[in-house]
DNA sequence: GATGAATGAGAATTCATTCAT
DNA sequence: GATGAATGAATTCTCATTCAT
């Protein structure tokens, strides 16, 4: 029987995985520990997921999918690429500030996972890159950024900066205010990219 | 008996580790495989290193130490913070273009290592952050950047962008020219940071 | 609630088990696969059988019971022990040629089953041994075989030869004609046993 | 590192496997139980064998190889095919009477093993079939058996009878004398096959 | 100093069986 | 009677590290 990939327990298991990984770290997140946290039997996990990797990939996929959907919706409400860029930074940070466990899992722990999981994560991340690229492209269209803007270079700067900032925030035990970084980073980007 | 941490075999083991990890990946880089590549017995590794983690940490430390020394020397030859920033990007990229195995190991593979190794890597990276910070501070001093520049924010942007660019380059099988990215990235940084 | 051991679904499950074991092999014949093949729910199997072993034992029992009944009836129609011996070989082979799935299941697959099942199979086989013994005993009575014939020895030869011939036939993908073996084997037996 | 497949511990593990399987049965012969019986660590087994299946296949191969070598040597000392046939039965029985644990393992327990192991066992058994065939062929050459003897049919009878006799002996807890069966079975074969 | 054979702890996964609906 | 989602026990194999030679 194939994995169900939906339902109440499907979500319970994913959320249990986030909690367990955040608390114990990737290498101490055994299937049985996740099962116990989700209040299901070990075997039940295999009714909803192919294997342990599938749990982790699904976790990232579900959370990142929701994030991207939210992001797209939020960005659509914002008229100018300028403000879209700010909103992108803001919402990215907000998401992780609101769910610090998720932040730890996606920023730190899942990066230690095995090659298969990391490959899938990379694939999922591309969707986010597309969102960033869209913002950049409309910025070019509207004349905010120069026509000669190399989108990949700019996207690497944007994602790299945001990602490194979050990592730095977590590594510093979330002691500095991530939200306070939105404006300065936005200003850096704008000045750097502007025509 | 404490680990020797020096000598011909010490280096042979570290370089073997780089080759093995680059070829087989972090998860397939067993001690015995590294030993075979270094043409020593498994047990010999424990005469020069405390344990496997110590090999990985030492690897990163040696390579990063040499990199930072080179970087400091190069930067010292460059007068203006403006050009130091360019040199920093250029040398960082050059190092990894020249030794793609090392690039794979430090950019991709070692990031999957266990918490202890990653903690040490973080500690070593701080030395590099200091170098970046120095460039930024002298830029502020010389009036190139504003007095209100948040050094950490700026450093996160610089390191994050460089790091993400390299990762993106490796993930694309080194197909695009990393060196061609130096100028556009330098321009982005300057424009973003300039007073 | 005790197992029903009778009814339409009882037979459906047994026949599904034969098909599944023949197709996938003993080790890949899970209860859920048999249930699906029989078009019943997993749990339904436990309304008709005590447990999985009981399915396998019942399978062997039903099929072997029918075989022995047929055999006894056929032998009763044959006057001489000489010809009974031929008929025994012929019918044994015919049964398995007619139902090769059953042949695979009883000759190959069920022999890998666990101790409990094999013990029961041995018990059921004894009924067949009795049939063989009857033929031998009437042969002795009628003076066809010597009075000093060791019945167990002779029966081991007869059953062992027939069984090994069938196994060899299946292992050779039923490529040679099993029915063509009836006469030569019958001749071997007769010459070997004859007074 | 590939499995060593030789040495003191190699043999210790094989012999431990025979003892454990004979005592506890195939399904209760865990790797750790075999390791304990062999007085080595679990992991040591994997220095000498690829995996658990390899232990079982090697067991059969080693024991059967020695058996076949002994058999060939013994048969070579016997001039006539007539007496070779007796010696074949005698030595086959003697081997298993001398080592009843081995008898249980090869006759009963290993037949429950998984498809891979059974396939290999079949391959190894063919060597024994060749030995039997040789005896039959020299019998034909010397005019003891008819020129029209179907060697496969005869071999199936010989192996089938011997095998079934041993199985029957074990199933009866070795209560009857297997060696006493040599002469009657030899007589049956000779009479059955003789010209 | 150098070797490499031996160690043994630790975890994902399967599948017969149950029982609430 | 029938269902099928949920259960949870049970086992192979890897690999960092040691230590007798």
């Amino acid at each position: 029987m194939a994995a169900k990939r939906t339902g109440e327990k499907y979500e319970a298991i994913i959320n249990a995985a986030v909690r367990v990984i955040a608390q114990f770290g990737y290498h101490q997140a055994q299937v049985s520990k996740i099962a116990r946290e989700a209040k299901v039997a070990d075997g039940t996990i295999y009714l909803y997921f192919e294997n342990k990797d599938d749990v982790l990939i699904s976790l990232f996929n579900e959370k990142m999918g929701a994030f991207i959907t939210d992001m797209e919706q939020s960005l659509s409400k914002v008229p100018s690429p300028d403000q879209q860029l700010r909103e992108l930074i803001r919402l990215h940070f907000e998401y992780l500030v609101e769910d610090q466990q998720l932040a730890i899992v996606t920023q730190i722990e899942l990066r230690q996972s095995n090659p298969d999981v990391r490959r899938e994560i990379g694939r999922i991340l591309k969707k986010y890159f597309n969102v960033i690229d869209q913002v950049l492209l409309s910025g070019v269209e509207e004349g905010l950024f120069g026509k000669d803007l190399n989108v990949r270079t700019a996207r690497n700067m944007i994602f790299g900066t945001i990602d490194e900032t979050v990592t730095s925030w977590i590594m510093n035990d979330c002691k500095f205010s991530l939200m306070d970084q939105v404006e300065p980073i936005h200003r850096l980007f704008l000045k750097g990219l502007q025509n």
Side-chain angles (χ1 to χ4, degrees), chain A:
Chain A
M1 192 67 74
K4 266 188 68 184
R5 284 177 200 292
T6 176
E8 209 172 278
K9 300 206 172 170
Y10 174 81
E11 290 178 23
I13 291 164
I14 282 185
N15 290 320
V18 174
R19 291 195 298 276
V20 168
I21 295 173
Q23 183 179 357
F24 297 99
Y26 175 80
H27 290 282
Q28 281 305 309
Q30 295 89 346
V31 169
S32 59
K33 210 179 263 175
I34 295 172
R36 207 179 315 131
E37 176 74 22
K39 290 181 181 153
V40 299
D42 293 17
T44 302
I45 289 190
Y46 294 86
L47 296 177
Y48 293 89
F49 301 88
E50 296 278 354
N51 48 42
K52 186 182 178 182
D53 280 0
D54 190 24
V55 176
L56 304 177
I57 293 168
S58 301
L59 182 168
F60 195 83
N61 199 21
E62 293 284 335
K63 299 300 182 185
M64 197 68 195
F67 170 65
I68 290 173
T69 303
D70 275 14
M71 181 64 82
E72 284 173 331
Q73 204 156 32
S74 279
L75 294 184
S76 73
K77 290 177 188 155
V78 174
S80 74
D82 166 7
Q83 287 168 55
Q84 282 184 327
L85 201 49
R86 176 190 288 110
E87 178 60 11
L88 189 137
I89 304 164
R90 198 198 60 74
L91 190 59
H92 190 133
F93 285 175
E94 190 182 69
Y95 238 89
L96 300 178
V97 168
E98 298 277 306
D99 191 347
Q100 297 192 12
Q101 286 190 326
L102 184 63
I104 293 169
V105 171
T106 57
Q107 287 287 321
I108 310 288
E109 299 301 337
L110 281 189
R111 307 199 174 184
Q112 312 165 47
S113 58
N114 70 45
D116 290 341
V117 175
R118 282 194 354 274
R119 187 171 18 254
E120 283 308 306
I121 287 178
R123 209 163 286 170
I124 296 163
L125 265 184
K126 278 189 187 155
K127 293 186 202 162
Y128 187 39
F129 291 169
N130 288 335
V131 173
I132 300 177
D133 289 0
Q134 279 310 313
V135 174
L136 289 167
L137 286 171
S138 48
V140 172
E141 261 177 50
E142 299 202 5
L144 178 67
F145 309 138
K147 277 198 189 322
D148 58 340
L149 182 86
N150 184 322
V151 173
R152 187 177 54 204
T153 307
R155 176 230 297 160
N156 283 338
M157 177 182 73
I158 291 171
F159 182 77
T161 302
I162 293 176
D163 192 65
E164 181 63 25
T165 302
V166 175
T167 299
S168 158
W169 172 68
I170 292 176
M171 290 305 194
N172 282 278
D173 298 319
C174 311
K175 278 192 299 225
F176 66 84
S177 162
L178 199 52
M179 298 318 292
D180 285 357
Q181 298 285 308
V182 176
E183 280 313 316
I185 290 177
H186 180 234
R187 221 174 306 133
L188 281 177
F189 286 173
L190 262 199
K191 282 172 63 187
L193 299 169
Q194 237 160 7
N195 214 342

